[in-house]
Amino acid sequence: MTTPATSPDANNMQSPLILVDGSSYLFRAYHVPYLQALSTADGQPTGAITGVLNMLGSLKKDYPNGNIIAIFDAKGKTFRNDMYPEYKANRPPMPDDLRSQIAPLHEIITAMGLPLLVIPGVEADDVIGTLAKQADELGIETVISTGDKDMAQLVTKHVRLINTMTDVEMDEAGVMEKFGVRPDQIIDYLALMGDKVDNIPGVVKCGPKTAVKWLAEHGTMAEVIANADKVKGKIGENLRDALEQLPLSYKLATIKCDVELAQTAAQLAANEPDIEALTELYQKFELKRLLAGLGKGDSTGSTTTKAGKTSSSAGEQVIEIHAEAVAESQYDIILDKALFTEWLNKLQGCDAFAFDTETTSVDYMKAELVGLSFAIEVGKAAYVPLTHDYTDAPEQLDIDWVLAQLKPLLESTKIKKIGQNLKYDANVLSHYDITLQGIEFDTMIESYCYNSVATRHNMDALALKYLDYKMVKFEDIAGKGAKQLTFNQIDVEKAGHYAAEDADITLRLHKAIFPALAQSPALLSVFNDIEMPLLPVLARMEQTGVLIDSDILAEQSLILGQRLDELEIEAHNLAGKSFNLASPKQLQQILFEELKIPVIKKTPKGAPSTAEDVLQELALDYPLPKVIIENRGLSKLKSTYTDKLPLMVSDKTGRLHTSYHQAVTATGRLSSTDPNLQNIPIRSEQGRKIRQAFIAPKDHKIVAIDYSQIELRIMAHLSADEGLVTAFSEGKDIHRATAAEIFAVELDEVTIDQRRSAKAINFGLIYGMSAFGLAKQLNIGRQQAQEYQDKYFQRYPGVLMYMAETRKKASEQGYVETLYGRRLYLPDINAKNGIRKKAAERAAINAPMQGTAADIIKKAMLAVDAWLLEQNDDRIKMTMQVHDELIFEIHQDIVEQTTKKLVELMNNAVVLNVPLIAEAGIGDNWDEAH
DNA sequence: ACAGGAACTTA
DNA sequence: GTAAGTTCCTGTT
């Protein structure tokens, strides 16, 4: 057994060493807009000075005993330039208005009494590294204040980083969490990736992901190099190409920790500030706040800002929300059986209660339960901690015992549950063999049905809007960024208050929003008959997930990668130089300035647009745009789909689990994230290959059933236009029928071009089209587009009337409705600003159609789900919803008759005055099923 | 490190 | 012209 030279306690007594990377802060402060405005009366800029001094002030406040040392880069070349002349060669020279601030800043820092180090021939990093190493060896607690990620290599048991601008601290664990490698692997990591800004070569296309992967496998760069011949694919080639360069990159990325310094870390100490000199300097540079601070003995001069509350203006509802003020609250933290049983009894005896789960992750597939909170009456809530596991966490009730007690309660259909985003809680609980039932009131959905666009529908936003109460943010108790704690690491007292408040506020929100919602029978019906019943259906679909073939995607990635490389070379040749194809800015420069190609369109911010339609047009006359178009399309496919989807497969189930969001869109549609399964490619040949990777399990088929022309059918229904209703009732091809009417020809005489035009008009109508938009879409004159539109309305006068009525209604009542009463409020519908008003009018036209379609497919999902529950046959699974399409996995033995039944259920989900037609496709993958 | 814009994907 | 989400780059934190 050894005795440490100094005990930990002794270390804590010693003042920490604070090493400030002055140059990095100087440079960043220089770019902060509100600081850029600062200067003295005679024009000497002082923004960067102010920024750095503010930052030093806040460091002083955070580390009152800290021994602060400021380190700056010296002028001139460093040893790295000798090693590698191109090092930082891309850096533009320092602007004069920054350079002029350096000397004054140094003077001020010296007058403050802080040691200031400016060592020529090395960079500030190296000086910091040297001091940190000395301090580390002495066991002195050291904090490096920097915004530079390269410094992570200096982190040890005693040395940590703080980014004073973002307030994020990073210790060894933090580095691991943030970068995915240990501090001693950071140099390897940086060398492999290289650094564009500093001109350090690395492995081409090796970013953080690849570097972490390799280092996880081999430990060091040297080992990665030793195994370079085993790395497959293009990236393997790139690695082998880089082998010669890598040792140099490693040297360049290494911070030198043995710089010769006149004084050691232990010897450097602050002097008393020279108040007289400081006063003079602050006066000279007109740093008024700092000057004022001198008198009060507060040299920080820091200010706090108050968050201003914004109030909403247009589109306020008639219905008033009456909320009780959030006053005194009484929260229990349940750590013993007696108190638990008391609450259990109360819960069992009540009609409805609010509850919330606390877990380790926002990802419902990974989340583990940490605790549960409950509220029965406003102001009284309880938290049952279960798995808090930080050092010295109190003993908690046994999770299995607690869940066994709660299971009957949570599964009871009699006792109503109130929650915020209950789908999440249901998903988490399902992993503990609890099927949440009695799901009656979800405050997120209450708010969404009440007004989808008044606010976002997360609890913090709802509390602020409907209770005028500002909740404690999760970040405030857990921290943020790399150092964020998971809920199980949070002190039970703190966590308990936070969790109990969640349940309490949920209950209060319900009491505020639900009665307002219930004043409209139509809104209440959307809530009770569509959204709440849909919640468990979506939860089941999420849990089911979808199966993908990662090998197909990997192969596709490879092919795409090869083609992208070819395109890149071609583009560089055409441009006459190397540039980043993904950068619209660089492309603008090359296209419009160097190649002098005329500008066709500008972006909203005034830059020349390089959007697809512009490039399409330019491609007729120039070769480069065509290459760019193909490159963009393919790189999107690769990065978003073929590379990414396999990484998102759950290791628990081997399948892909999306999240459907029920309270996001303005119109009532669902949305999907992580991954978004509602924008999987279909249009291009390459894109369809991605759908081929969405496969059926063994002995199963993928069945995709989509509604045909659902929005146009809804337009026919809502407008009751005779011609349109008849066309649908007779089962005509609607675009062909429209073309025949507009162009006054027989049905069978309609040309392909005429049908295409009619299709564009039909879509345009759904989107609240203008003649201008139609002209652009069809590439025809404005006049001609207007003629088409006039002709259309002449033939379908009911549609014209419906459009006019919708605009009028929207303007009068401030909202429009779907067939089933879902509302969309349009705050801009009577706006003075013509552009905003026009946009609101288009939304007003579109929302009833898009929203009714959303209502219908939701009703269809309910019908299908009810039938599936009845069948209780796990050979049939509903896996996805894509706005007008439902996707199923069905065992091959029953696929034919099941599909027939599902189509029937979808066709009869609602009754309109035109037929509702669903069309099915069956195949081994999603592409075939189309 | 993060926000915002531009570009791409879908119905 | 409607409604979404993700990725990449860029500029500032």
Side-chain angles (χ1 to χ4, degrees):
Chain A
M1 187 172 171
T2 57
T3 310
T6 50
S7 75
D9 283 341
N11 285 342
N12 289 345
M13 300 304 286
Q14 188 160 11
S15 32
L17 183 65
I18 316 291
L19 302 173
V20 180
D21 185 357
S23 293
S24 101
Y25 284 114
L26 183 73
F27 197 73
R28 288 163 73 187
Y30 173 72
H31 286 100
V32 175
Y34 70 89
L35 292 174
Q36 274 170 342
L38 300 182
S39 67
T40 61
D42 56 6
Q44 163 67 41
T46 54
I49 297 175
T50 311
V52 175
L53 293 178
N54 282 348
M55 193 274 307
L56 282 173
S58 90
L59 268 180
K60 258 191 194 162
K61 218 168 61 187
D62 290 349
Y63 302 94
N65 301 321
N67 184 13
I68 298 180
I69 299 171
I71 299 107
F72 285 80
D73 285 331
K75 273 184 284 193
K77 308 255 174 209
T78 70
F79 71 96
R80 287 190 182 80
N81 296 105
D82 297 336
M83 212 188 280
Y84 181 59
E86 288 87 358
Y87 181 67
K88 295 197 176 179
N90 290 343
R91 291 264 173 107
M94 183 181 286
D96 285 341
D97 55 342
L98 175 55
R99 189 187 304 275
S100 70
Q101 298 186 60
I102 294 177
L105 179 61
H106 287 179
E107 279 181 63
I108 294 170
I109 290 173
T110 307
M112 288 167 90
L114 299 179
L116 172 74
L117 296 179
V118 186
I119 312 289
V122 297
E123 292 176 62
D125 294 18
D126 303 307
V127 179
I128 292 171
T130 302
L131 292 172
K133 182 158 183 257
Q134 291 173 1
D136 182 53
E137 282 166 359
L138 294 170
I140 300 172
E141 193 204 342
T142 303
V143 179
I144 299 173
S145 175
T146 180
D148 185 348
K149 66 177 187 319
D150 297 9
M151 297 265 198
Q153 64 185 270
L154 299 175
V155 171
T156 66
K157 212 172 111 199
H158 303 294
V159 180
R160 60 189 198 274
L161 304 185
I162 177 155
N163 184 332
T164 305
M165 288 206 167
T166 57
D167 243 13
V168 175
E169 272 201 32
M170 206 160 31
D171 57 9
E172 286 178 306
V175 171
M176 190 69 206
E177 226 177 295
K178 166 81 186 303
F179 296 101
V181 296
R182 297 185 307 271
D184 63 277
Q185 294 173 305
I186 288 284
I187 304 173
D188 308 72
Y189 169 85
L190 294 170
L192 285 169
M193 292 195 300
D195 187 323
K196 284 219 179 79
V197 181
D198 290 350
N199 225 5
I200 297 181
V203 178
V204 174
K205 287 280 158 72
C206 171
K209 293 237 166 103
T210 311
V212 167
K213 195 178 93 187
W214 286 346
L215 289 173
E217 204 175 328
H218 301 298
T220 63
M221 186 178 87
E223 277 302 300
V224 174
I225 292 174
N227 290 285
D229 50 343
K230 291 183 202 141
V231 181
K232 282 181 289 191
K234 180 72 192 168
I235 191 88
E237 272 171 50
N238 292 343
L239 170 59
R240 288 184 285 280
D241 288 346
L243 287 182
E244 265 181 47
Q245 289 278 11
L246 285 175
L248 174 66
S249 302
Y250 188 90
K251 271 202 243 166
L252 290 170
T254 305
I255 293 175
K256 185 173 159 72
C257 291
D258 55 0
V259 178
E260 275 185 46
L261 299 172
Q263 286 176 297
T264 65
Q267 291 164 340
L268 287 161
N271 297 315
E272 281 302 306
D274 181 342
I275 301 291
E276 212 172 295
L278 269 182
T279 311
E280 202 176 297
L281 283 163
Y282 287 167
Q283 273 168 349
K284 180 173 170 197
F285 293 103
E286 300 174 16
L287 304 168
K288 302 204 180 83
R289 253 179 356 147
L290 290 161
L291 193 59
L294 275 182
K296 289 181 235 139
D298 165 25
S299 57
T300 67
S302 66
T303 55
T304 49
T305 50
K306 277 185 191 155
K309 212 188 130 184
T310 54
S311 63
S312 56
S313 52
E316 275 307 310
Q317 274 119 305
V318 189
I319 303 169
E320 283 289 314
I321 297 253
H322 298 285
E324 293 172 47
V326 178
E328 288 297 292
S329 301
Q330 201 192 337
Y331 298 151
D332 290 339
I333 292 174
I334 302 178
L335 288 165
D336 61 85
K337 285 191 176 179
L339 188 54
F340 179 81
T341 310
E342 200 180 299
W343 267 90
L344 188 63
N345 287 335
K346 278 196 281 183
L347 290 168
Q348 278 162 345
C350 76
D351 175 54
F353 65 82
F355 91 104
D356 186 36
T357 57
E358 302 298 342
T359 68
T360 52
S361 169
V362 289
D363 176 345
Y364 67 85
M365 287 305 291
K366 292 191 182 139
E368 288 175 30
L369 204 52
V370 177
L372 291 151
S373 57
F374 301 92
I376 303 169
E377 41 186 317
V378 162
K380 291 185 186 167
Y383 177 61
V384 192
L386 295 170
T387 59
H388 289 257
D389 58 2
Y390 53 90
T391 323
D392 297 331
E395 194 172 323
Q396 297 149 69
L397 291 172
D398 178 64
I399 181 167
D400 294 330
W401 181 82
V402 167
L403 291 179
Q405 304 294 304
L406 290 171
K407 185 174 159 85
L409 195 65
L410 293 169
E411 296 191 336
S412 161
T413 52
K414 299 269 156 46
I415 302 174
K416 297 168 186 161
K417 315 301 185 302
I418 303 162
Q420 165 74 12
N421 192 12
L422 281 168
K423 175 154 66 65
Y424 176 82
D425 304 281
N427 274 332
V428 171
L429 289 171
S430 76
H431 295 148
Y432 293 83
D433 191 32
I434 292 175
T435 309
L436 186 65
Q437 292 189 93
I439 302 174
E440 286 275 326
F441 304 110
D442 189 319
T443 48
M444 181 176 80
I445 296 174
E446 287 175 8
S447 168
Y448 178 68
C449 291
Y450 179 60
N451 185 333
S452 66
V453 291
T455 167
R456 292 182 62 223
H457 306 281
N458 55 322
M459 203 192 300
D460 291 8
L462 296 185
L464 197 59
K465 176 158 180 74
Y466 294 115
L467 305 176
D468 198 21
Y469 178 70
K470 203 165 176 183
M471 297 190 68
V472 175
K473 282 182 297 191
F474 181 70
E475 278 179 4
D476 293 341
I477 63 162
K480 58 178 174 174
K483 282 208 59 156
Q484 186 167 66
L485 301 172
T486 48
F487 209 82
N488 55 315
Q489 298 168 314
I490 295 169
D491 176 74
V492 163
E493 285 292 326
K494 251 203 247 175
H497 183 86
Y498 174 88
E501 182 178 271
D502 275 2
D504 182 23
I505 295 294
T506 301
L507 184 59
R508 290 173 195 259
L509 283 171
H510 169 65
K511 292 190 179 236
I513 305 171
F514 185 76
L517 176 72
Q519 285 183 31
S520 159
L523 290 183
L524 187 62
S525 161
V526 170
F527 178 78
N528 278 334
D529 304 332
I530 299 179
E531 298 297 352
M532 289 310 297
L534 187 67
L535 187 155
V537 179
L538 294 175
R540 280 192 278 279
M541 288 169 67
E542 290 179 350
Q543 289 291 340
T544 303
V546 299
L547 188 61
I548 60 168
D549 184 334
S550 295
D551 293 341
I552 293 182
L553 291 173
E555 193 188 328
Q556 182 72 356
S557 271
L558 214 65
I559 296 170
L560 288 171
Q562 286 166 359
R563 180 67 188 144
L564 285 169
D565 288 340
E566 290 170 18
L567 289 168
E568 188 175 358
I569 292 167
E570 212 178 320
H572 289 174
N573 285 338
L574 288 167
K577 68 186 229 187
S578 169
F579 71 105
N580 183 348
L581 274 71
S583 163
K585 213 180 160 198
Q586 291 180 34
L587 184 61
Q588 276 160 25
Q589 163 83 18
I590 287 179
L591 243 34
F592 303 116
E593 289 179 36
E594 294 179 14
L595 298 179
K596 311 268 188 224
I597 294 176
V599 176
I600 294 184
K601 195 176 84 173
K602 298 212 167 171
T603 64
K605 288 189 71 188
S609 168
T610 63
E612 211 246 12
D613 54 341
V614 174
L615 296 183
Q616 282 301 359
E617 203 172 326
L618 296 176
L620 299 174
D621 302 317
Y622 306 90
L624 182 55
K626 200 173 155 218
V627 178
I628 300 290
I629 292 169
E630 188 180 351
N631 176 281
R632 278 188 182 161
L634 296 187
S635 63
K636 182 73 183 179
L637 292 185
K638 183 168 186 290
S639 60
T640 311
Y641 305 107
T642 61
D643 285 352
K644 197 68 191 298
L645 292 177
L647 299 176
M648 302 185 82
V649 168
S650 162
D651 40 6
K652 273 191 197 152
T653 63
R655 296 166 67 104
L656 211 46
H657 301 266
T658 185
S659 287
Y660 288 107
H661 301 278
Q662 218 179 337
V664 170
T665 72
T667 54
R669 276 188 177 179
L670 299 176
S671 76
S672 154
T673 64
D674 308 301
N676 180 353
L677 294 184
Q678 295 181 319
N679 70 348
I680 302 299
I682 189 168
R683 294 192 185 149
S684 69
E685 181 57 39
Q686 297 276 12
R688 272 201 299 281
K689 293 230 170 85
I690 293 166
R691 292 207 171 204
Q692 288 166 14
F694 284 70
I695 54 172
K698 190 172 177 302
D699 299 332
H700 287 64
K701 295 284 180 187
I702 298 290
V703 176
I705 313 179
D706 69 318
Y707 281 119
S708 150
Q709 309 294 353
I710 187 165
E711 293 186 5
L712 279 176
R713 286 171 198 271
I714 291 164
M715 187 169 83
H717 177 90
L718 291 174
S719 69
D721 180 273
E722 216 185 306
L724 208 52
V725 171
T726 310
F728 275 122
S729 300
E730 290 174 355
K732 284 185 182 156
D733 171 344
I734 194 64
H735 300 316
R736 180 172 286 271
T738 305
E741 292 289 346
I742 298 175
F743 299 109
V745 294
E746 290 300 316
L747 259 189
D748 50 10
E749 287 172 6
V750 171
T751 66
I752 292 186
D753 225 38
Q754 286 171 331
R755 186 179 182 279
R756 196 178 57 85
S757 298
K759 189 175 172 181
I761 293 169
N762 280 330
F763 272 96
L765 285 162
I766 294 169
Y767 298 151
M769 159 184 79
S770 65
F772 178 78
L774 181 64
K776 222 178 68 180
Q777 180 71 30
L778 284 175
N779 214 353
I780 55 176
R782 180 98 168 263
Q783 294 246 309
Q784 191 171 14
Q786 188 64 53
E787 276 171 37
Y788 285 1
Q789 209 179 342
D790 292 346
K791 202 71 176 214
Y792 182 95
F793 286 134
Q794 207 178 325
R795 298 292 173 170
Y796 301 101
V799 176
L800 181 61
M801 271 176 58
Y802 167 73
M803 301 273 165
E805 265 169 40
T806 304
R807 285 197 188 87
K808 182 159 167 267
K809 248 193 185 170
S811 160
E812 281 168 10
Q813 56 191 18
Y815 62 85
V816 290
E817 282 174 299
T818 68
L819 187 55
Y820 304 97
R822 183 192 301 277
R823 278 183 202 174
L824 174 63
Y825 281 87
L826 298 154
D828 278 347
I829 194 71
N830 294 316
K832 296 268 183 293
N833 178 335
I835 296 173
R836 296 180 74 119
K837 184 178 155 78
K838 283 280 174 212
E841 283 183 0
R842 289 194 294 270
I845 298 291
N846 176 256
M849 293 184 266
Q850 191 183 116
T852 302
D855 292 345
I856 291 174
I857 195 156
K858 283 177 172 176
K859 283 170 178 273
M861 291 167 78
L862 295 176
V864 166
D865 185 72
W867 182 75
L868 288 178
L869 288 180
E870 211 177 281
Q871 297 307 299
N872 190 24
D873 183 342
D874 64 9
R875 293 176 300 175
I876 317 169
K877 291 197 168 77
M878 176 157 57
T879 59
M880 286 189 274
Q881 189 254 40
V882 190
H883 307 310
D884 65 359
E885 174 183 11
L886 295 177
I887 292 101
F888 301 86
E889 258 174 24
I890 303 175
H891 195 279
Q892 59 190 18
D893 292 351
I894 53 168
V895 69
E896 296 291 339
Q897 69 266 37
T898 307
T899 301
K900 208 173 143 218
K901 175 68 186 176
L902 291 170
V903 167
E904 195 185 309
L905 284 166
M906 287 176 69
N907 283 342
N908 298 316
V910 299
V911 177
L912 303 177
N913 61 15
V914 292
L916 194 55
I917 303 285
E919 293 170 341
I922 302 175
D924 289 326
N925 60 57
W926 193 6
D927 184 41
E928 275 182 23
H930 249 281

